[in-house]
Amino acid sequence: MRCRSARHAWLTLPLLAAVVLGTVPAAAAAPPTTTCQVFPADNVWNADISTLPVHARSAQWLASTAAATTNLHPDFGGPPYGFPYNIVDNTHPTYSVSFLYASESDPGPYPLDASMSFENGSDHHALILNKDTCTLYELFNVSGSGSSWSAGSGAIFPLGANALRPVGWTSADAAGLPIFPGLVRWDEVQAGAIRHAIRFTAVQSDQSFLWPARHQAGSAANPALPPMGARFRLKGSYDISHFSAQARVILLAMQHYGLILADNGSNWFFSGTEDAAWPDSLLSELKTVPASQFEAVDESGLMQSANSAAVKPACPTSGGRASNVPPPVCVLTRSSRGGGAPPRVPALPTSNPYRWLASRRLG
């Protein structure tokens, strides 16, 4: 089954209530036609980072990505733009895949067939979700038919677990992270909640990576460049009230869950599903957001273990907090922030013999 996201003709009341109140709704829908939660609630992808401290290298990383002169760019829309994904079940046939980088790929087998939707362009990613086992399969540069398939690399992610890939391993993405959990989906926007971080790219990255990333594809050993896994958030002081209700869902997610640097590509391009339902007007709105309104955050205090994506337990909370706003994590520190905004509460370098990741397309 090919999926690009559920399509609704009108915005739901929860969406309107959420963006008017400026809160993050309690739950986002599972991918359409599934009951699969995309990673546990305590996974770092699903962690609210709105109160984390600003990273010490935030200004340098913004400068290296030309944030002062660049706006956000939604790298998705109607076909052929964005990432399509495929839903299968246990009856779907599976096949072995021949990998160019087999030493850093999960051997499979993978559920594949020629009728599936793959990403357009040179990267030719395949994203496949088994709705019976809630297992995510991702492939980079996939090709083949029948029982004969090949790819650059492949990774398998059980969505009910917080496991990370081995240190130094790539995935179908340069950072060694999954792609699907970081996509903006139309069904999420229509439901009124995006409760996860969003994947984005930068032209240059450092030859290091930060938890939860596992791999780097840097162009230089330069700490002024952001490493894979670097997390950015839209400043709380940035006024999103004049945007449409649909745009506010996405921007609110960027304030609460932020962006994760996952690949080399054009600066400030963020990822979403390929879906004919995306309104051009919404995509145009998002292109007006200045990248200078973002800041890098230090999420190292969330880490329970370098080999797990789980974050530390939530602090006990007392009255005065809306029930549909996630509690802060028990590592919050206050940092000074400009504009009267409310306070906002380890890099592992590795050699990079796989230069194919660093030479991938920039747009």
Side-chain angles (χ1 to χ4, degrees):
M1 175 180 180
R2 303 182 186 187
C3 288
R4 292 181 171 85
S5 77
R7 298 182 174 107
H8 302 282
W10 43 274
L11 291 173
T12 59
L13 288 177
L15 164 62
L16 295 175
V19 296
V20 168
L21 294 174
T23 61
V24 180
T33 77
T34 83
T35 58
C36 298
Q37 180 176 344
V38 182
F39 291 135
D42 66 344
N43 190 281
V44 66
W45 278 98
N46 302 325
D48 187 324
I49 50 90
S50 60
T51 53
L52 291 183
V54 175
H55 197 283
R57 294 197 180 274
S58 179
Q60 290 178 303
W61 295 349
L62 289 172
S64 75
T65 57
T69 57
T70 305
N71 287 356
L72 281 183
H73 185 94
D75 195 19
F76 55 91
Y81 301 107
F83 287 90
Y85 63 96
N86 305 271
I87 304 295
V88 301
D89 58 26
N90 281 339
T91 66
H92 197 283
T94 59
Y95 302 102
S96 296
V97 177
S98 175
F99 292 110
L100 182 60
Y101 304 103
S103 65
E104 294 183 20
S105 294
D106 294 323
Y110 290 75
L112 288 161
D113 69 67
S115 70
M116 285 183 167
S117 295
F118 302 141
E119 183 197 17
N120 185 64
S122 60
D123 285 0
H124 217 230
H125 287 104
L127 311 182
I128 306 154
L129 175 59
N130 183 322
K131 66 180 180 180
D132 290 334
T133 63
C134 294
T135 301
L136 176 65
Y137 301 82
E138 298 190 342
L139 295 158
F140 165 70
N141 197 23
V142 65
S143 63
S145 62
S147 61
S148 178
W149 294 89
S150 63
S153 58
I156 300 173
F157 300 93
L159 293 182
N162 283 320
L164 295 174
R165 296 178 66 67
V167 174
W169 276 36
T170 187
S171 59
D173 223 357
L177 296 170
I179 295 171
F180 182 77
L183 300 182
V184 176
R185 305 195 321 257
W186 177 241
D187 63 281
E188 294 177 305
V189 172
Q190 288 293 84
I194 297 174
R195 288 177 51 84
H196 59 77
I198 298 167
R199 174 189 186 270
F200 89 113
T201 61
V203 172
Q204 291 183 294
S205 59
D206 184 39
Q207 290 178 349
S208 67
F209 55 92
L210 291 174
W211 176 85
R214 312 302 277 170
H215 186 267
Q216 60 88 12
S219 56
N222 182 357
L225 299 175
M228 289 295 160
R231 196 152 177 176
F232 295 76
R233 66 168 171 241
L234 182 61
K235 295 178 181 179
S237 58
Y238 182 67
D239 181 13
I240 65 173
S241 64
H242 62 283
F243 286 89
S244 69
Q246 294 168 323
R248 276 179 277 167
V249 171
I250 297 172
L251 298 178
L252 187 62
M254 291 180 176
Q255 289 179 328
H256 280 265
Y257 299 96
L259 308 176
I260 294 180
L261 180 61
D263 201 357
N264 294 123
S266 296
N267 285 330
W268 298 99
F269 276 42
F270 69 99
S271 302
T273 56
E274 176 189 291
D275 196 323
W278 286 113
D280 288 341
S281 58
L282 171 59
L283 302 178
S284 295
E285 275 189 278
L286 295 170
K287 292 176 183 178
T288 68
V289 178
S292 60
Q293 290 301 313
F294 283 78
E295 58 197 358
V297 300
D298 182 354
E299 65 178 358
S300 61
L302 298 180
M303 183 175 66
Q304 287 200 54
S305 165
N307 294 315
S308 171
V311 300
K312 292 180 179 177
C315 299
T317 58
S318 56
R321 187 177 183 87
S323 62
N324 63 345
V325 178
V329 179
C330 281
V331 291
L332 302 188
T333 59
R334 293 182 178 266
S335 61
S336 35
R337 301 173 53 79
R344 300 292 191 190
V345 178
L348 301 172
T350 184
S351 60
N352 182 30
Y354 303 108
R355 301 309 302 171
W356 62 277
L357 280 170
S359 62
R360 286 155 69 176
R361 64 182 176 89
L362 300 182

